[in-house]
Amino acid sequence: MKILVCISSVPDTTSKINFTADKSAFDKNGIQWVINPLDEFALTKAVKLQETQGATATVINVGDAGTEAVIRKALAIGANDAVRVNTDPKDSFSVAKEIANFAQNGGYDLVLCGKESIDYNGGAVPGMVAQLLNQPFVNACVGLDVNGSEATAVREIEGGKETISVKLPAVIAGQKGMVDEKDLIIPNMRGIMSARTKPLQVQEPTSTEVRVEGVSYDSVPARAAVKMVAADQLDELVRLLHEEAKVI
């Protein structure tokens, strides 16, 4: 079985987010980059399938040279090899198109990824990849078993879970629960050393088409000061909620 795992390089959740002076772009200075956590669930699942079914796992990232440290971590976790499409991702479509173009002739049985990245939270790439490849797609997957040419996926729906059977090849977008959090792999020294020698292919993008362009960015407004109202001032509380907070 051949598995392609899509990973995104995202800011660590403790990073302070800033934008450039003209608010036209995200300011990358001082940012610590990590594997998108939802992609890490998918990567761990691919490594588990290596162990149980002899699968091979290739990692793909669409990004510039600055993402290579994150790619090497994915190799240290257990991926066999990696490819980086050498471009600064502009929108979901351009990313999906590069992934699909690479996967098209790779003979992959499964394309695994997180359901969204934690930076822009677009959630569009997995479905676009499936559409471009004309393959079945399961989103929000919290469980996955593969038996020959068929996969059984469990996904979250409103009020419960749904079990779906799909024929391979297919695209599966996972989330927390695809594997147990305790099973997430922390690279050891052996994995880190072996990652240095694993193949990392760099290829140029096949297209420059961009369909969505960010115009400007704004930070979340600072939290307003808190007004304290005494327990016996019910009339004042109602007035503030009505006139200032405008919630009643």
Side-chain angles (χ1 to χ4, degrees), residues 215-239:
V215 176
S216 65
Y217 297 87
D218 285 300
S219 300
V220 176
R223 183 174 296 178
V226 174
K227 289 188 177 181
M228 304 298 292
V229 180
D232 59 352
Q233 293 182 313
L234 181 59
D235 290 343
E236 176 63 7
L237 175 60
V238 172
R239 186 190 70 78

Side-chain angles (χ1 to χ4, degrees), residues 35-89:
I35 300 174
N36 179 45
L38 299 183
D39 296 340
E40 198 165 348
F41 283 101
L43 176 58
T44 302
K45 185 62 182 182
V47 173
K48 297 296 181 185
L49 290 171
Q50 283 178 333
E51 299 169 354
T52 59
Q53 301 198 23
T56 61
T58 297
V59 164
I60 184 169
N61 168 259
V62 180
D64 58 24
T67 67
E68 290 198 2
V70 166
I71 297 173
R72 287 294 178 189
K73 181 180 178 182
L75 292 171
I77 287 173
N80 299 97
D81 59 352
V83 60
R84 177 174 67 82
V85 181
N86 186 33
T87 185
D88 183 19

Side-chain angles (χ1 to χ4, degrees), residues 148-168:
S149 61
E150 188 171 281
T152 301
V154 180
R155 72 184 190 99
E156 288 192 342
I157 59 174
E158 186 173 354
K161 296 179 180 179
E162 179 183 32
T163 301
I164 301 172
S165 178
V166 296
K167 295 291 184 182
L168 302 182

Side-chain angles (χ1 to χ4, degrees), residues 8-231:
S8 180
S9 177
V10 300
D12 184 271
T13 53
T14 61
S15 297
K16 182 174 176 56
I17 302 302
N18 293 305
F19 302 107
T20 55
D22 61 359
K23 296 185 178 182
S24 65
F26 170 59
D27 185 357
K28 297 181 180 180
N29 292 318
I31 296 295
Q32 178 69 36
W33 300 92
V34 298
I35 300 174
N36 179 45
L38 299 183
D39 296 340
E40 198 165 348
F41 283 101
L43 176 58
T44 302
K45 185 62 182 182
V47 173
K48 297 296 181 185
L49 290 171
Q50 283 178 333
E51 299 169 354
T52 59
Q53 301 198 23
T56 61
T58 297
V59 164
I60 184 169
N61 168 259
V62 180
D64 58 24
T67 67
E68 290 198 2
V70 166
I71 297 173
R72 287 294 178 189
K73 181 180 178 182
L75 292 171
I77 287 173
N80 299 97
D81 59 352
V83 60
R84 177 174 67 82
V85 181
N86 186 33
T87 185
D88 183 19
K90 299 297 185 183
D91 69 348
S92 298
F93 175 78
S94 61
V95 172
K97 191 170 184 179
E98 295 302 332
I99 294 171
N101 286 344
F102 178 81
Q104 190 74 54
N105 300 315
Y108 293 100
D109 301 288
L110 269 176
V111 177
L112 297 180
C113 53
K115 71 172 186 176
E116 63 185 357
S117 61
I118 65 167
D119 47 7
Y120 292 98
N121 299 104
V125 171
M128 288 181 174
V129 171
Q131 177 65 30
L132 290 168
L133 292 174
N134 193 29
Q135 292 181 3
F137 173 52
V138 180
N139 198 19
C141 180
V142 294
L144 178 65
D145 291 309
V146 180
N147 184 11
S149 61
E150 188 171 281
T152 301
V154 180
R155 72 184 190 99
E156 288 192 342
I157 59 174
E158 186 173 354
K161 296 179 180 179
E162 179 183 32
T163 301
I164 301 172
S165 178
V166 296
K167 295 291 184 182
L168 302 182
V171 179
I172 308 291
Q175 63 178 24
K176 182 179 178 181
M178 193 175 199
V179 297
D180 290 335
E181 285 190 79
K182 63 180 177 62
D183 292 329
L184 292 174
I185 301 168
I186 300 175
N188 54 29
M189 186 55 66
R190 181 179 179 182
I192 293 170
M193 296 302 292
S194 67
R196 296 180 178 179
T197 60
K198 289 181 178 180
L200 170 52
Q201 172 191 350
V202 179
Q203 67 177 37
E204 294 306 311
T206 59
S207 173
T208 58
E209 182 181 5
V210 175
R211 298 189 177 184
V212 177
E213 180 181 357
V215 176
S216 65
Y217 297 87
D218 285 300
S219 300
V220 176
R223 183 174 296 178
V226 174
K227 289 188 177 181
M228 304 298 292
V229 180

